[in-house]
Amino acid sequence: MKDNYIHKGKRRQLVEMMRKKGIQNEQVLDAMNAVPRHLFLDSSFLEHAYQNKAFPIGADQTISHPYTVAFQSELLQVKPNDRILEIGTGSGYQCAVLLEMGAQVYTIERQNELYKKTNLLFRKLQYRPKRYVFGDGYKGLPDDAPFDSIIVTCGAPEIPKTLMSQLKIGGRMVIPVGDDPQIMTLLVRESATDFSKKTFGEFRFVPFLGGKE
Ligand code: SAH
């Protein structure tokens, strides 16, 4: 597993592409510059790791486009030590970006094959989520709630109430909602009972499925 000057150069270009597409948060851009995305993909996609593309990661799932990762990470407004719940660990790339930003990440994956593969990668690359759970993201993590923010990286038919209840007051949830394509949605918990909602553009995600396999 290598991260050489060619990868580093390509990563800088990717970061410039993100800037041109409108990403302004320097912590997000720095984190994307730091995470070796090519190591999160199967070796057959190595060549293309730094294009703005999604790729299969096994178990019929895909790693999100870099722009999608940047967009969701920016909407979270991450502060160091924020406790963030991620639904859909997948390749682990989004989690690694949040860890580079100094967050404490709690992340859940429902596909056992992916869960195990990514667990090995986290160890190799020394990325340490606060908790990495094999389970159903619809349940969230009640024992660790409330969270400063929640990021859902699979397309949800609607915003799950269980996850809303696990947000801190003032906390933010970034979630793609609807059928293909999904509408990126930001939910802010304004008080114990009130939530405000803002919607952004269309994105494409694999579905948020119940249960685990
Ligand atoms: N954040 C990931 C994106 C992977 S795609 C990355 O950076 O690579 C979305 C992931 O969500 C898939 O791995 C899929 O298995 C997972 N997923 C779908 N429904 C889920 C659920 N109910 N709980 C946890 N993970 C789920």
Side-chain angles (χ1 to χ4, degrees):
M1 294 256 221
K2 283 196 204 123
D3 184 28
N4 63 29
Y5 73 97
I6 298 176
H7 301 124
K8 288 182 178 138
K10 287 194 173 173
R11 220 148 52 230
R12 276 195 292 275
Q13 288 172 3
L14 178 73
V15 165
E16 286 319 306
M17 192 201 299
M18 296 299 111
R19 230 188 258 284
K20 286 207 183 91
K21 281 176 154 289
I23 304 298
Q24 295 178 342
N25 183 309
E26 293 298 329
Q27 286 103 301
V28 172
L29 295 167
D30 284 351
M32 290 184 72
N33 199 30
V35 179
R37 186 170 193 267
H38 61 288
L39 301 180
F40 291 77
L41 299 174
D42 289 338
S43 51
S44 45
F45 300 110
L46 256 177
E47 284 296 301
H48 308 290
Y50 294 108
Q51 295 170 3
N52 187 35
K53 284 189 184 163
F55 291 102
I57 50 174
D60 279 339
Q61 305 304 320
T62 51
I63 183 172
S64 301
H65 284 68
Y67 179 67
T68 305
V69 172
F71 195 85
Q72 288 196 279
S73 303
E74 186 161 75
L75 282 181
L76 287 175
Q77 296 185 354
V78 179
K79 293 183 297 303
N81 290 319
D82 269 3
R83 295 170 68 255
I84 303 182
L85 172 64
E86 179 193 29
I87 310 299
T89 318
S91 68
Y93 177 71
Q94 170 74 70
C95 174
V97 168
L98 297 174
L99 289 171
E100 289 284 353
M101 294 173 76
Q104 298 182 44
V105 187
Y106 297 71
T107 183
I108 311 178
E109 174 55 54
R110 69 179 288 283
Q111 289 256 3
N112 199 243
E113 182 191 330
L114 266 177
Y115 174 79
K116 288 195 278 197
K117 186 167 149 188
T118 298
N119 200 24
L120 289 178
L121 188 71
F122 280 151
R123 279 178 199 202
K124 271 188 199 151
L125 300 181
Q126 302 192 359
Y127 279 117
R128 297 195 181 83
K130 192 80 181 170
R131 281 191 71 192
Y132 179 29
V133 178
F134 168 56
D136 180 0
Y138 273 102
K139 300 195 172 102
L141 289 177
D143 292 347
D144 297 290
F147 295 96
D148 294 296
S149 55
I150 299 178
I151 174 171
V152 178
T153 69
C154 33
E158 57 190 46
I159 305 176
K161 294 250 170 1
T162 324
L163 295 183
M164 289 167 69
S165 73
Q166 294 184 18
L167 261 189
K168 261 189 197 163
I169 293 172
R172 305 161 78 79
M173 184 180 339
V174 177
I175 176 168
V177 185
D179 276 337
D180 191 19
Q182 290 84 25
I183 306 295
M184 192 60 76
T185 306
L186 169 68
L187 197 74
V188 179
R189 186 167 200 173
E190 305 289 355
S191 71
T193 49
D194 296 319
F195 292 82
S196 63
K197 196 161 104 176
K198 254 194 200 167
T199 54
F200 299 85
E202 294 181 348
F203 289 81
R204 283 207 157 77
F205 285 84
V206 297
F208 189 170
L209 301 171
K212 49 184 179 177
E213 54 185 58

